[in-house]
Amino acid sequence: MTQQALVIGAGVAGPVAAMALQKAGVDAVVYEAHPEPADNVGAFLTLQANGVKALRAIDAEHVVTGLGFPTPVMRFRSGTGKPLGELNLAATERDGTVSVTLRRADLYRGLCDEALRRGIRIEHARRLVNARSVPGGVEAEFSDGSKVTGDLLVGADGVRSRVRRII
């Protein structure tokens, strides 16, 4: 029998976690508190080379291909243009993988689309309010009163993680 994971949070981390679990043979459903997808949230971010390699490990590197631009080096300047420093973002990657700068919204949309393409369900308007151990796994309770059970609970719900506070 296949294990079932309850992934809380459908930002960037949730769909990636669900795809990684699926690759490991675990079914996952992603539950997101917000009622709508976050298609236009955020500005730019730099996905470090190890993040690109993590996407490669779950056969999802293509999601970022063409969305941004390679960023092997970041240069910092003052408001007057004076050089302040430089950070080499590819120095430790022997295989040539470099960081990529892209819009957060594009990364989010691409990862959600890829998860959906792989048959992973993403349910919106499912705000986690409680979780508890039950025989054989975990039960998650949502603000609408509904409950789901699974074998494991994965918190991918950000810096102010509800999962972390509950457990």
Side-chain angles (χ1 to χ4, degrees):
M1 189 165 133
T2 304
Q3 287 187 310
Q4 177 71 40
L6 314 175
V7 178
I8 307 300
V12 170
V16 171
M19 287 186 278
L21 287 162
Q22 184 184 61
K23 186 167 180 164
V26 177
D27 286 338
V29 177
V30 180
Y31 299 95
E32 170 58 45
H34 291 92
E36 301 287 328
D39 284 343
N40 295 308
V41 175
F44 283 84
L45 61 79
T46 299
L47 182 63
Q48 298 298 318
N50 63 343
V52 175
K53 289 171 91 170
L55 291 177
R56 185 180 304 147
I58 61 168
D59 305 315
E61 180 182 13
H62 67 278
V63 169
V64 298
T65 303
L67 288 182
F69 51 90
T71 311
V73 176
M74 280 188 154
R75 293 184 180 90
F76 303 92
R77 298 184 181 276
S78 71
T80 62
K82 177 184 172 189
L84 299 175
E86 186 173 286
L87 181 61
N88 186 345
L89 301 176
T92 60
E93 302 303 326
R94 294 182 182 149
D95 66 356
T97 302
V98 297
S99 301
V100 177
T101 299
L102 68 163
R103 287 185 21 173
R104 184 226 175 261
D106 293 340
L107 177 62
Y108 165 82
R109 193 169 21 277
L111 292 170
C112 286
D113 288 349
E114 180 64 14
L116 292 170
R117 188 189 69 73
R118 294 181 186 197
I120 296 168
R121 235 173 46 235
I122 300 174
E123 296 187 12
H124 289 273
R126 302 296 297 271
R127 183 172 300 278
L128 181 73
V129 295
N130 200 10
R132 64 185 184 94
S133 294
V134 295
V138 63
E139 178 183 77
E141 181 181 350
F142 300 98
S143 59
D144 64 1
S146 64
K147 297 177 182 180
V148 294
T149 57
D151 296 295
L152 64 131
L153 180 71
V154 176
D157 53 338
V159 69
R160 290 181 276 287
S161 172
R162 179 73 151 175
V163 172
R164 189 178 316 125
R165 278 184 274 156
I166 290 170
I167 62 171

